[in-house]
Short mmCIF file of all heavy atoms in Angstrom, two decimals:
data_model
loop_
_atom_site.label_atom_id
_atom_site.label_comp_id
_atom_site.label_asym_id
_atom_site.label_seq_id
_atom_site.Cartn_x
_atom_site.Cartn_y
_atom_site.Cartn_z
N THR A 123 15.00 -70.89 25.16
CA THR A 123 13.98 -71.63 24.40
C THR A 123 14.27 -73.11 24.21
O THR A 123 13.39 -73.85 23.78
CB THR A 123 13.82 -71.01 22.99
OG1 THR A 123 15.10 -71.06 22.33
CG2 THR A 123 13.34 -69.58 23.08
N HIS A 124 15.49 -73.59 24.52
CA HIS A 124 15.87 -74.97 24.24
C HIS A 124 16.67 -75.58 25.40
O HIS A 124 17.35 -74.87 26.13
CB HIS A 124 16.73 -75.06 22.98
CG HIS A 124 15.98 -74.86 21.73
ND1 HIS A 124 15.57 -73.62 21.30
CD2 HIS A 124 15.56 -75.75 20.79
CE1 HIS A 124 14.93 -73.74 20.14
NE2 HIS A 124 14.90 -75.03 19.83
N TYR A 125 16.58 -76.92 25.48
CA TYR A 125 17.49 -77.70 26.31
C TYR A 125 18.49 -78.36 25.37
O TYR A 125 18.15 -78.75 24.25
CB TYR A 125 16.75 -78.81 27.06
CG TYR A 125 15.83 -78.31 28.15
CD1 TYR A 125 14.46 -78.37 28.00
CD2 TYR A 125 16.34 -77.81 29.34
CE1 TYR A 125 13.61 -77.93 28.99
CE2 TYR A 125 15.49 -77.36 30.35
CZ TYR A 125 14.13 -77.43 30.16
OH TYR A 125 13.31 -76.98 31.15
N ILE A 126 19.72 -78.54 25.82
CA ILE A 126 20.73 -79.27 25.07
C ILE A 126 21.01 -80.55 25.86
O ILE A 126 21.43 -80.49 27.02
CB ILE A 126 22.01 -78.44 24.89
CG1 ILE A 126 21.66 -77.13 24.17
CG2 ILE A 126 23.05 -79.23 24.10
CD1 ILE A 126 22.75 -76.09 24.21
N PHE A 127 20.71 -81.69 25.22
CA PHE A 127 20.82 -82.99 25.86
C PHE A 127 21.92 -83.82 25.21
O PHE A 127 22.31 -83.58 24.07
CB PHE A 127 19.51 -83.78 25.69
CG PHE A 127 18.32 -83.18 26.36
CD1 PHE A 127 17.25 -82.73 25.62
CD2 PHE A 127 18.25 -83.08 27.74
CE1 PHE A 127 16.12 -82.19 26.22
CE2 PHE A 127 17.13 -82.55 28.36
CZ PHE A 127 16.06 -82.11 27.60
N SER A 128 22.36 -84.85 25.93
CA SER A 128 23.26 -85.85 25.35
C SER A 128 22.87 -87.22 25.88
O SER A 128 22.23 -87.35 26.93
CB SER A 128 24.72 -85.54 25.69
OG SER A 128 24.99 -85.83 27.04
N TYR A 129 23.27 -88.24 25.11
CA TYR A 129 23.12 -89.62 25.55
C TYR A 129 24.21 -90.44 24.88
O TYR A 129 24.76 -90.04 23.86
CB TYR A 129 21.73 -90.19 25.25
CG TYR A 129 21.40 -90.30 23.78
CD1 TYR A 129 21.60 -91.50 23.10
CD2 TYR A 129 20.88 -89.23 23.08
CE1 TYR A 129 21.30 -91.61 21.75
CE2 TYR A 129 20.57 -89.33 21.74
CZ TYR A 129 20.78 -90.53 21.09
OH TYR A 129 20.50 -90.63 19.75
N SER A 130 24.53 -91.58 25.47
CA SER A 130 25.60 -92.43 24.95
C SER A 130 25.03 -93.68 24.32
O SER A 130 24.07 -94.26 24.83
CB SER A 130 26.54 -92.85 26.09
OG SER A 130 27.12 -91.72 26.67
N THR A 131 25.64 -94.08 23.21
CA THR A 131 25.33 -95.36 22.57
C THR A 131 26.65 -96.04 22.27
O THR A 131 27.43 -95.54 21.47
CB THR A 131 24.54 -95.16 21.26
OG1 THR A 131 25.30 -94.35 20.38
CG2 THR A 131 23.19 -94.52 21.50
N ASN A 132 26.91 -97.14 22.95
CA ASN A 132 28.19 -97.84 22.81
C ASN A 132 29.34 -96.87 23.05
O ASN A 132 29.50 -96.38 24.13
CB ASN A 132 28.30 -98.55 21.46
CG ASN A 132 27.25 -99.62 21.29
OD1 ASN A 132 26.82 -100.25 22.26
ND2 ASN A 132 26.80 -99.82 20.08
N GLU A 133 30.11 -96.55 22.01
CA GLU A 133 31.26 -95.66 22.17
C GLU A 133 30.96 -94.24 21.70
O GLU A 133 31.84 -93.39 21.71
CB GLU A 133 32.45 -96.22 21.41
CG GLU A 133 32.93 -97.55 21.97
CD GLU A 133 34.10 -98.11 21.20
OE1 GLU A 133 34.68 -97.39 20.36
OE2 GLU A 133 34.43 -99.27 21.43
N ASN A 134 29.74 -93.97 21.27
CA ASN A 134 29.40 -92.65 20.74
C ASN A 134 28.60 -91.85 21.75
O ASN A 134 27.82 -92.40 22.52
CB ASN A 134 28.56 -92.78 19.46
CG ASN A 134 29.32 -93.48 18.36
OD1 ASN A 134 30.49 -93.23 18.17
ND2 ASN A 134 28.64 -94.35 17.65
N VAL A 135 28.77 -90.55 21.69
CA VAL A 135 27.96 -89.64 22.47
C VAL A 135 27.19 -88.76 21.48
O VAL A 135 27.79 -88.13 20.62
CB VAL A 135 28.81 -88.75 23.40
CG1 VAL A 135 27.94 -87.73 24.11
CG2 VAL A 135 29.54 -89.61 24.42
N GLU A 136 25.88 -88.79 21.59
CA GLU A 136 25.03 -87.99 20.71
C GLU A 136 24.58 -86.74 21.47
O GLU A 136 24.20 -86.84 22.64
CB GLU A 136 23.80 -88.79 20.29
CG GLU A 136 24.13 -90.11 19.59
CD GLU A 136 24.74 -89.93 18.23
OE1 GLU A 136 24.46 -88.91 17.57
OE2 GLU A 136 25.52 -90.81 17.81
N VAL A 137 24.63 -85.60 20.82
CA VAL A 137 24.20 -84.34 21.41
C VAL A 137 23.10 -83.76 20.52
O VAL A 137 23.23 -83.76 19.30
CB VAL A 137 25.38 -83.34 21.52
CG1 VAL A 137 24.91 -82.00 22.05
CG2 VAL A 137 26.48 -83.91 22.41
N PHE A 138 22.02 -83.28 21.15
CA PHE A 138 20.93 -82.69 20.38
C PHE A 138 20.23 -81.64 21.23
O PHE A 138 20.39 -81.59 22.44
CB PHE A 138 19.94 -83.76 19.92
CG PHE A 138 19.18 -84.41 21.04
CD1 PHE A 138 17.88 -84.00 21.33
CD2 PHE A 138 19.74 -85.42 21.79
CE1 PHE A 138 17.17 -84.60 22.36
CE2 PHE A 138 19.04 -86.02 22.82
CZ PHE A 138 17.75 -85.61 23.10
N GLU A 139 19.48 -80.78 20.56
CA GLU A 139 18.70 -79.79 21.28
C GLU A 139 17.22 -80.08 21.08
O GLU A 139 16.82 -80.67 20.09
CB GLU A 139 19.04 -78.37 20.82
CG GLU A 139 18.66 -78.07 19.40
CD GLU A 139 19.03 -76.64 18.99
OE1 GLU A 139 19.85 -76.00 19.68
OE2 GLU A 139 18.50 -76.19 17.98
N LYS A 140 16.46 -79.66 22.06
CA LYS A 140 15.01 -79.87 22.01
C LYS A 140 14.35 -78.59 22.52
O LYS A 140 14.72 -78.07 23.57
CB LYS A 140 14.64 -81.05 22.89
CG LYS A 140 13.27 -81.60 22.66
CD LYS A 140 13.18 -82.25 21.31
CE LYS A 140 12.28 -83.42 21.30
NZ LYS A 140 12.10 -83.99 19.99
N ALA A 141 13.37 -78.11 21.77
CA ALA A 141 12.64 -76.91 22.20
C ALA A 141 11.94 -77.19 23.53
O ALA A 141 11.39 -78.28 23.74
CB ALA A 141 11.62 -76.52 21.13
N LYS A 142 11.97 -76.23 24.41
CA LYS A 142 11.35 -76.41 25.73
C LYS A 142 9.86 -76.70 25.62
O LYS A 142 9.32 -77.44 26.44
CB LYS A 142 11.60 -75.17 26.60
CG LYS A 142 13.03 -75.07 27.06
CD LYS A 142 13.23 -73.90 27.99
CE LYS A 142 14.64 -73.90 28.54
NZ LYS A 142 14.87 -72.81 29.49
N ASN A 143 9.20 -76.16 24.59
CA ASN A 143 7.77 -76.42 24.45
C ASN A 143 7.48 -77.84 23.96
O ASN A 143 6.34 -78.24 23.91
CB ASN A 143 7.09 -75.37 23.57
CG ASN A 143 7.59 -75.38 22.15
OD1 ASN A 143 8.43 -76.19 21.76
ND2 ASN A 143 7.09 -74.45 21.35
N GLU A 144 8.51 -78.61 23.60
CA GLU A 144 8.35 -80.01 23.21
C GLU A 144 8.63 -80.96 24.38
O GLU A 144 8.49 -82.16 24.25
CB GLU A 144 9.27 -80.35 22.05
CG GLU A 144 8.94 -79.60 20.76
CD GLU A 144 9.89 -79.98 19.65
OE1 GLU A 144 10.08 -81.20 19.42
OE2 GLU A 144 10.44 -79.07 19.02
N VAL A 145 9.07 -80.41 25.50
CA VAL A 145 9.40 -81.21 26.68
C VAL A 145 8.26 -81.09 27.68
O VAL A 145 7.94 -80.00 28.14
CB VAL A 145 10.73 -80.73 27.31
CG1 VAL A 145 11.01 -81.50 28.59
CG2 VAL A 145 11.87 -80.88 26.32
N ILE A 146 7.64 -82.22 28.00
CA ILE A 146 6.53 -82.23 28.97
C ILE A 146 7.07 -82.18 30.38
O ILE A 146 6.53 -81.49 31.23
CB ILE A 146 5.66 -83.49 28.79
CG1 ILE A 146 4.96 -83.44 27.45
CG2 ILE A 146 4.67 -83.63 29.92
CD1 ILE A 146 4.20 -84.71 27.12
N GLY A 147 8.15 -82.93 30.63
CA GLY A 147 8.67 -82.97 31.98
C GLY A 147 10.10 -83.45 32.07
O GLY A 147 10.57 -84.19 31.21
N ILE A 148 10.79 -83.01 33.11
CA ILE A 148 12.14 -83.45 33.43
C ILE A 148 12.10 -83.85 34.90
O ILE A 148 11.71 -83.05 35.76
CB ILE A 148 13.18 -82.35 33.17
CG1 ILE A 148 13.19 -81.98 31.68
CG2 ILE A 148 14.56 -82.80 33.63
CD1 ILE A 148 14.15 -80.85 31.32
N PHE A 149 12.52 -85.10 35.16
CA PHE A 149 12.36 -85.66 36.50
C PHE A 149 13.66 -86.31 36.97
O PHE A 149 14.44 -86.84 36.16
CB PHE A 149 11.26 -86.73 36.50
CG PHE A 149 9.97 -86.25 35.91
CD1 PHE A 149 9.66 -86.50 34.58
CD2 PHE A 149 9.08 -85.51 36.67
CE1 PHE A 149 8.47 -86.05 34.02
CE2 PHE A 149 7.89 -85.04 36.12
CZ PHE A 149 7.59 -85.31 34.80
N GLU A 150 13.88 -86.29 38.29
CA GLU A 150 15.00 -87.02 38.87
C GLU A 150 14.83 -88.50 38.53
O GLU A 150 13.71 -89.03 38.62
CB GLU A 150 15.03 -86.85 40.39
CG GLU A 150 15.34 -85.45 40.86
CD GLU A 150 16.81 -85.08 40.74
OE1 GLU A 150 17.65 -85.95 40.43
OE2 GLU A 150 17.12 -83.90 41.00
N VAL A 151 15.90 -89.16 38.13
CA VAL A 151 15.81 -90.57 37.69
C VAL A 151 15.25 -91.43 38.80
O VAL A 151 14.32 -92.21 38.56
CB VAL A 151 17.19 -91.09 37.24
CG1 VAL A 151 17.15 -92.58 36.97
CG2 VAL A 151 17.67 -90.33 36.01
N ARG A 152 15.77 -91.30 39.99
CA ARG A 152 15.32 -92.16 41.10
C ARG A 152 13.84 -91.94 41.40
O ARG A 152 13.07 -92.89 41.60
CB ARG A 152 16.16 -91.86 42.35
CG ARG A 152 15.79 -92.64 43.57
CD ARG A 152 16.15 -94.10 43.35
NE ARG A 152 15.94 -94.87 44.54
CZ ARG A 152 16.86 -95.64 45.08
NH1 ARG A 152 18.04 -95.72 44.56
NH2 ARG A 152 16.57 -96.34 46.14
N GLU A 153 13.42 -90.70 41.43
CA GLU A 153 12.02 -90.37 41.73
C GLU A 153 11.10 -90.91 40.63
O GLU A 153 10.04 -91.46 40.90
CB GLU A 153 11.88 -88.85 41.86
CG GLU A 153 10.57 -88.41 42.42
CD GLU A 153 10.54 -86.90 42.65
OE1 GLU A 153 11.57 -86.32 43.03
OE2 GLU A 153 9.47 -86.32 42.43
N TRP A 154 11.53 -90.75 39.37
CA TRP A 154 10.73 -91.24 38.25
C TRP A 154 10.62 -92.76 38.33
O TRP A 154 9.54 -93.32 38.17
CB TRP A 154 11.36 -90.84 36.91
CG TRP A 154 10.53 -91.26 35.74
CD1 TRP A 154 9.55 -90.54 35.13
CD2 TRP A 154 10.61 -92.51 35.04
NE1 TRP A 154 9.00 -91.27 34.10
CE2 TRP A 154 9.64 -92.49 34.03
CE3 TRP A 154 11.39 -93.65 35.18
CZ2 TRP A 154 9.44 -93.54 33.15
CZ3 TRP A 154 11.19 -94.70 34.31
CH2 TRP A 154 10.22 -94.64 33.31
N TRP A 155 11.73 -93.43 38.56
CA TRP A 155 11.73 -94.89 38.62
C TRP A 155 10.85 -95.40 39.75
O TRP A 155 10.08 -96.34 39.58
CB TRP A 155 13.16 -95.42 38.76
CG TRP A 155 13.21 -96.90 38.72
CD1 TRP A 155 13.44 -97.74 39.76
CD2 TRP A 155 12.98 -97.74 37.59
NE1 TRP A 155 13.37 -99.04 39.35
CE2 TRP A 155 13.09 -99.06 38.02
CE3 TRP A 155 12.68 -97.49 36.26
CZ2 TRP A 155 12.93 -100.14 37.16
CZ3 TRP A 155 12.52 -98.57 35.40
CH2 TRP A 155 12.63 -99.87 35.86
N ASP A 156 10.95 -94.76 40.91
CA ASP A 156 10.13 -95.18 42.06
C ASP A 156 8.65 -94.98 41.80
O ASP A 156 7.81 -95.72 42.30
CB ASP A 156 10.53 -94.42 43.32
CG ASP A 156 11.87 -94.87 43.88
OD1 ASP A 156 12.38 -95.93 43.45
OD2 ASP A 156 12.42 -94.15 44.73
N THR A 157 8.29 -93.96 41.00
CA THR A 157 6.89 -93.64 40.74
C THR A 157 6.33 -94.35 39.51
O THR A 157 5.28 -94.97 39.58
CB THR A 157 6.72 -92.12 40.55
OG1 THR A 157 7.25 -91.47 41.70
CG2 THR A 157 5.27 -91.74 40.38
N LYS A 158 7.04 -94.26 38.38
CA LYS A 158 6.51 -94.77 37.12
C LYS A 158 7.23 -95.99 36.59
O LYS A 158 6.63 -96.86 35.98
CB LYS A 158 6.58 -93.68 36.03
CG LYS A 158 5.62 -92.57 36.20
CD LYS A 158 5.66 -91.66 34.99
CE LYS A 158 4.59 -90.61 35.05
NZ LYS A 158 4.57 -89.77 33.86
N GLY A 159 8.53 -96.04 36.73
CA GLY A 159 9.35 -97.07 36.11
C GLY A 159 8.99 -98.48 36.49
O GLY A 159 8.99 -99.38 35.66
N LYS A 160 8.67 -98.69 37.74
CA LYS A 160 8.33 -100.04 38.19
C LYS A 160 7.05 -100.54 37.54
O LYS A 160 6.88 -101.72 37.31
CB LYS A 160 8.20 -100.06 39.71
CG LYS A 160 9.52 -99.85 40.41
CD LYS A 160 9.35 -99.81 41.91
CE LYS A 160 10.70 -99.55 42.57
NZ LYS A 160 10.57 -99.36 44.01
N LYS A 161 6.15 -99.62 37.21
CA LYS A 161 4.89 -99.99 36.57
C LYS A 161 5.06 -100.27 35.09
O LYS A 161 4.39 -101.11 34.52
CB LYS A 161 3.85 -98.86 36.74
CG LYS A 161 3.49 -98.59 38.17
CD LYS A 161 2.59 -97.38 38.26
CE LYS A 161 2.42 -96.95 39.70
NZ LYS A 161 1.75 -95.67 39.83
N GLU A 162 5.98 -99.52 34.44
CA GLU A 162 6.13 -99.62 32.99
C GLU A 162 7.16 -100.65 32.56
O GLU A 162 7.28 -100.96 31.38
CB GLU A 162 6.51 -98.24 32.43
CG GLU A 162 5.41 -97.24 32.62
CD GLU A 162 5.72 -95.90 31.99
OE1 GLU A 162 6.66 -95.83 31.17
OE2 GLU A 162 5.04 -94.92 32.31
N GLY A 163 7.98 -101.13 33.48
CA GLY A 163 8.98 -102.11 33.14
C GLY A 163 10.28 -101.47 32.67
O GLY A 163 10.44 -100.27 32.74
N PRO A 164 11.22 -102.29 32.18
CA PRO A 164 12.54 -101.78 31.79
C PRO A 164 12.46 -100.70 30.73
O PRO A 164 11.60 -100.75 29.85
CB PRO A 164 13.26 -103.02 31.25
CG PRO A 164 12.50 -104.17 31.77
CD PRO A 164 11.09 -103.70 31.98
N LEU A 165 13.38 -99.77 30.80
CA LEU A 165 13.41 -98.65 29.85
C LEU A 165 14.81 -98.56 29.26
O LEU A 165 15.78 -98.43 29.97
CB LEU A 165 13.09 -97.35 30.57
CG LEU A 165 13.19 -96.08 29.74
CD1 LEU A 165 12.04 -96.05 28.74
CD2 LEU A 165 13.11 -94.87 30.62
N VAL A 166 14.89 -98.66 27.95
CA VAL A 166 16.16 -98.51 27.26
C VAL A 166 15.94 -97.54 26.13
O VAL A 166 15.39 -97.91 25.10
CB VAL A 166 16.67 -99.87 26.71
CG1 VAL A 166 17.99 -99.67 26.00
CG2 VAL A 166 16.79 -100.88 27.83
N ASN A 167 16.30 -96.27 26.32
CA ASN A 167 16.09 -95.20 25.34
C ASN A 167 15.13 -95.58 24.23
O ASN A 167 15.51 -95.93 23.14
CB ASN A 167 17.43 -94.77 24.74
CG ASN A 167 18.21 -93.91 25.68
OD1 ASN A 167 17.67 -93.36 26.62
ND2 ASN A 167 19.49 -93.80 25.45
N ARG A 168 13.87 -95.49 24.54
CA ARG A 168 12.81 -95.89 23.61
C ARG A 168 12.81 -95.03 22.38
O ARG A 168 12.99 -93.90 22.34
CB ARG A 168 11.44 -95.76 24.27
CG ARG A 168 11.29 -96.69 25.42
CD ARG A 168 9.94 -96.52 26.02
NE ARG A 168 9.87 -97.28 27.23
CZ ARG A 168 8.85 -97.26 28.04
NH1 ARG A 168 7.82 -96.53 27.80
NH2 ARG A 168 8.84 -97.98 29.12
#
């Protein structure tokens, strides 16, 4: 029912879970950037 994610901020690593029904999509970074990222501009953990 859930994904367990992590991300880094400076020297900290944050870990959290998210219900799968709250996740619209999971995409390869390169593929996402080639398709959407160039149109939306820089992305820094919004």
Side-chain angles (χ1 to χ4, degrees):
T123 59
H124 287 76
Y125 290 108
I126 302 167
F127 296 116
S128 73
Y129 65 95
S130 300
T131 58
N132 298 328
E133 295 179 11
N134 297 319
V135 175
E136 303 291 332
V137 176
F138 67 100
E139 66 180 17
K140 196 68 146 176
K142 288 184 175 182
N143 64 2
E144 295 180 50
V145 176
I146 294 174
I148 298 178
F149 308 97
E150 293 284 353
V151 172
R152 179 68 174 234
E153 191 175 323
W154 183 90
W155 184 253
D156 287 347
T157 305
K158 288 187 174 183
K160 291 177 182 174
K161 297 174 190 170
E162 295 184 15
L165 176 70
V166 180
N167 283 343
R168 296 180 188 175

